[in-house]
Amino acid sequence: MPLREIVQFPDPRLKRVCEPVGEITDAIRDLARDMCEVMYDEPGIGLAAPQVGESIRLFVIDTEWGEEGEERCPQVMINPEFTAQEGKLVWEEACLSVPDYSAEVERHARVTIRALDLDGKEIVEEAEGLRAVCLQHEFDHLDGTLFIDRISRLKRSLYVKKRKKQLIEESED
Ligand code: NI
């Protein structure tokens, strides 16, 4: 089966506020597995359900596996919420749904997140650095927010222009 396609800016599906997951069904487990496949294939370190067109509060994250010798260790987070957010840091971010672009974004430096895993068990995780950035970035997707919504208006409009040009060129090929 082909991998699920990644929804890309400016697709309106990326702007939706996603619905909480009710029961954790086989369909949810299949979706999480498919999302991990897409994440490792791209490659990326996180992927949120709306990025594959599913408007539900679920994301997958693995910030370790790119490091040499590290095994894949995907974490599925369902209905996540932050229970603590502290400090500030600036990180260069990119997104599989925002092609050919990266920019510095200010985020909280340390977060505590609470979510359910695929067994419906509660997970509580404290994170900092890259992991904290990635958790906040993926969480944002569930509220219809992209990292380019958190940069200056000027930078954003330059990217939007570049992206429109890119889409016109692609449609002409
Ligand atoms: Ni993203």
Side-chain angles (χ1 to χ4, degrees), residues 1-171:
M1 243 182 45
L3 292 179
R4 283 176 185 253
E5 213 167 291
I6 293 188
V7 174
Q8 292 187 322
F9 180 81
D11 193 306
R13 288 175 291 176
L14 294 168
K15 296 298 296 174
R16 288 191 199 141
V17 176
C18 298
E19 295 293 325
V21 173
E23 206 189 330
I24 299 168
T25 58
D26 284 346
I28 296 287
R29 281 184 277 270
D30 288 349
L31 172 67
R33 192 201 51 223
D34 289 354
M35 285 170 58
C36 288
E37 274 178 32
V38 172
M39 175 175 72
Y40 292 121
D41 182 67
E42 279 294 325
I45 56 174
L47 190 72
Q51 294 183 273
V52 292
E54 301 291 339
S55 201
I56 58 169
R57 303 189 80 81
L58 179 156
F59 64 75
V60 297
I61 179 172
D62 187 349
T63 46
E64 301 288 327
W65 75 281
E67 309 278 322
E68 213 168 307
E70 294 287 347
E71 305 232 331
R72 289 179 177 185
C73 181
Q75 178 71 61
V76 179
M77 296 210 170
I78 299 171
N79 298 341
E81 23 179 309
F82 289 108
T83 55
Q85 310 188 83
E86 307 173 347
K88 294 270 175 255
L89 97 178
V90 174
W91 206 278
E92 178 97 9
E93 294 187 27
C95 178
L96 298 175
S97 293
V98 181
D100 306 316
Y101 190 64
S102 66
E104 289 189 336
V105 181
E106 190 181 277
R107 301 278 187 184
H108 293 288
R110 287 171 301 281
V111 298
T112 306
I113 195 165
R114 188 169 66 193
L116 298 177
D117 68 11
L118 276 182
D119 298 319
K121 220 172 60 192
E122 192 179 84
I123 320 161
V124 176
E125 183 186 328
E126 284 176 35
E128 56 180 25
L130 171 65
R131 183 82 176 178
V133 168
C134 192
L135 287 168
Q136 291 168 88
H137 177 119
E138 300 313 328
F139 183 91
D140 260 358
H141 276 296
L142 309 183
D143 285 333
T145 301
L146 298 174
F147 80 96
I148 52 171
D149 298 320
R150 294 190 179 276
I151 61 179
S152 75
R153 252 200 193 154
L154 176 64
K155 279 191 192 163
R156 189 178 191 285
S157 67
L158 288 173
Y159 174 70
V160 172
K161 229 185 248 172
K162 176 179 143 171
R163 176 67 179 145
K164 279 185 183 152
K165 213 173 130 206
Q166 189 181 45
L167 286 169
I168 290 167
E169 282 165 6
E170 275 173 21
S171 69

